[in-house]
Amino acid sequence: MSAIFETHAHYDHKQYATDRDTLLHALAANNVGAVLNVGSDIRSSRASVALAEKYPFIYAAVGVHPHDAKTLTENAMTELKALAAHEKVVAFGEIGLDFNRNFSPPESQRKWFKRQLALAHELQLPLIIHSRDAEEEVFETLEASPHRRGVIHAFPGDEDLAQRYTGLGFHLGIGGVLTFDKTGRLRAVVEAIPLDKILLETDCPYLTPAPHRGKRNESGYLSYVVDAIAKIKKTSPQAVREQTWGNACTLFGL
């Protein structure tokens, strides 16, 4: 049976403090073969690298989320660059814009998004992009950049935006929302884009799929997402696992 590549997890989160090792060691039994643990600030970027050092099947991404853009400094950028040099860091993120609650001022978000985007391009690391209530501006920023390898995490847009992103060369991260998408918008996106542009992700501990909504998310629940994609694409779960595994390996250079 083909394994699942989980491309967006936060196992450094405090919700896993009491059972992290047990849960991670159990992933193989749940058909999860690889995990990308994603940084959202300096602390979690360090923690992601530490997890990647400890577990052979975990890889790391480093970067600062737009919520924490106001905390970024030149020294922090220097540290991100040093962390990114680690052999198991395979992506830069998650970075982007989030105008939903503006935990960091929009101008600070814009400044450090562009700075981190430039650093990722210098390092030639694929991007993990966060976009919320800023879809057109994030797209325009990426369209203007020479660096167009990466994934739009928890893809937030419609079919038109999906087509534009895949046209630029980006992948779309699809997770638990697909299993409880009442609007049908994400289903339409999955139906419209080719399977070779889809990556599987949880954003755990968040965005838990049905039928486990309300519980802490974990990578083993990606089987529900696989089944949902297979149904939409009129193919087998194995075909979804195989293609998305290959997609992730190609994007992240593994």
Side-chain angles (χ1 to χ4, degrees), residues 83-100:
L83 286 168
H86 193 283
E87 63 180 359
K88 292 196 76 179
V89 171
V90 298
F92 203 100
E94 62 187 284
I95 65 174
L97 300 174
D98 190 318
F99 297 154
N100 179 256

Side-chain angles (χ1 to χ4, degrees), residues 227-238:
D227 290 346
I229 294 172
K231 186 175 180 180
I232 293 168
K233 289 295 196 183
K234 297 181 173 59
T235 188
S236 67
Q238 179 173 340

Side-chain angles (χ1 to χ4, degrees), residues 188-208:
V189 166
V190 170
E191 194 169 14
I193 65 169
L195 193 53
D196 65 7
K197 288 297 184 181
I198 291 176
L199 297 182
L200 300 174
E201 60 173 37
T202 58
D203 200 27
C204 66
Y206 310 111
L207 300 181
T208 309

Side-chain angles (χ1 to χ4, degrees), residues 4 6 9 11 27 30 32 35 202 204 217-223:
I4 289 170
E6 150 78 284
Y11 282 116
L27 288 182
N30 288 313
V32 177
V35 173
T202 58
C204 66
N217 204 357
E218 59 183 72
S219 302
Y221 292 157
L222 278 171
S223 59

Side-chain angles (χ1 to χ4, degrees), residues 23 70 73 75 107 127 183-184 223 229 248:
L23 177 59
K70 64 187 176 185
T73 62
N75 285 342
E107 284 309 311
L127 304 162
T183 68
S223 59
I229 294 172

Side-chain angles (χ1 to χ4, degrees), residues 150-180:
V151 55
I152 311 304
H153 160 55
F155 181 71
D158 58 14
E159 183 181 338
D160 173 68
L161 186 61
Q163 298 282 15
R164 287 190 282 151
Y165 266 125
T166 57
L168 280 186
F170 282 90
H171 290 72
L172 307 185
I174 304 296
V177 174
L178 182 64
T179 67
F180 56 83

Side-chain angles (χ1 to χ4, degrees), residues 33-56:
V35 173
L36 179 54
N37 205 79
V38 180
S40 57
D41 56 18
I42 298 297
R43 182 209 61 78
S44 61
S45 294
R46 292 178 192 139
S48 294
V49 171
L51 282 172
E53 288 179 334
K54 184 174 182 180
Y55 297 93

